[in-house]
Amino acid sequence: MGFKARCLGLFFVLFLSYIHTPIPDNVEDSWKVMALDTATKIFSLMAMCFEKMGIIKYGELFSIVLSLDYTGPHSDEYLTVTDMAFIGIPVRLYLPKRKSESLRRAVIYVHGGAFCFGSFKNRVFDYLNRWTAKKLDAVVVTVDYRKAPKHKFPVPFEDVLTAVKFFLQDKILTKYGVDPTRICIAGDSSGSAFVAAVTQQIQNDPEMKHKIKTQALIYPALQIIDSYLPSFQEYEHGILLTRDMAITLVSSYLTEDETFPQAVKRNQYMPLESKHLFKFVNWSILLPEKYRKDRVYTEPLLGNPGYSLPALTDVRASPLLANDSQLQNLPLTYILTCEYDILRDDGLMFVSRLRNVGVQVTHDHIENGIHGALLFMTPPLYLRLGFRIRDLYVSWLEKNL
C-alpha cells in the first residue's frame, strides 16, 4: 500500500510540474490567469491523449467545447445583427440602427483560434464586435471560415479572401451604407495571419477597385518557417499557449503528416529551396536588441531531401515572407504584441519590416500581456487585460479609420 501511495504521489508531483507555469509578478488578475492556464493545459493533455487513442483530433475537441459558448445574432436597441452568407461563407453583420447623414466606416473582423477552432458565434467575439460597432458607429462584418484539421491550408484563407472581396463590391458597400475609403480589416492571433495575408492580396491586386484603409493585428501569428525565435524559446511553456500546443495546432492546419510536428520541434523541416526566405524572419536583424538578449542566431535546419510542403513557402500562410515591394503597398497598420507570448516576435518583426519600407505603423507592446487575453471579456473569468486590449484597439480605430 505504501509503495502504491508513493507511486501515486510521484505521479501527482510530475503531473503538477508538467502543467504548472509560474505567473510573472506583474501580470494582472494572477490567480485567474493561473486557473485559466492550468485548466487549458489539463484540457490540452486530455485532448492529446484522446488523439493518441484515435478518439478525436486534438483541435476538434477544443472546437466542440468552444461551441458550447455560442450565441445567436440578437439585435438590440442600437444594432441590427444578422447571420448571412457571402458566396457561401458564413458572416455576421452588425448594422447600426441610427440614421446617418454620411456613409459609415466598416470593420471586417477575423477571429483567432489557432486555425482549428473558434467562431463569430462565440460570446466573446460577439461582444467585441458589438462593442466596436457601437463605439465607432460602424458597420462590422465578421467571417466564419472553415477550420482545420478537416479543412487544410489554403481553404480557410480562401474563405476569408472570398468574403472580403464580396464585401468590397460597390453594390454591397452601397447596400449597407459603407464609405469605400474607410474600411479596416482586423483580427487576433491566427485571425491576424489571415488579415495580413488578405490585405497583401487586396492591396497588390490591380483589379481591386476598393482597397483597405487600415489593418489591425492583435498578437498576430505571421510565420511558420522558424520555430526557434527568442519568444518561442523564452516562453516555450508559456501562459495559455505553449510551443508544443502551437506546433500541434499549426501542423494540423498544414498537413496530415504525423512526423511533421516532431520535425518542427527540432526546427528542421523547411524544404531545401527555401533558404533564401530566411532573411525575411532573421530575428538577429529584425528584433530590437532588448528581445534578442544574448542569444546567437542560427538559421532553421533544412529538412530531408525530397520532402516538400508547399504551404511552408507560401506567403498566404506566412505573411512575413512577403518581399519589400509587396509590403510597400500596405495601408496604415496597428500591431499589438504581448510580452509573455510565444508569438511576440512575429509581431515585433512585422513592425520592423513594415517601418523599413515606409509603412506607417502604430505598435502597442503590453509588458505584462499574455496571449489570448481578448478571449476573457465575459463572465465568469474575465481579465482586465482583455478590456485594456479592446480599448487600445478600438481607440486606435476611432482615430485612424
Side-chain angles (χ1 to χ4, degrees), residues 100-126:
S100 176
E101 296 293 327
S102 58
L103 296 175
R104 286 187 164 93
R105 48 195 167 182
V107 177
I108 305 168
Y109 194 84
V110 187
H111 68 82
F115 308 104
C116 296
F117 46 80
S119 168
F120 62 52
K121 298 175 185 176
N122 286 120
R123 281 192 306 150
V124 68
F125 291 122
D126 181 68

Side-chain angles (χ1 to χ4, degrees), residues 72-84:
H74 305 298
S75 300
D76 57 31
E77 60 182 305
Y78 303 104
L79 301 171
T80 298
V81 183
T82 311
D83 284 355
M84 60 182 70

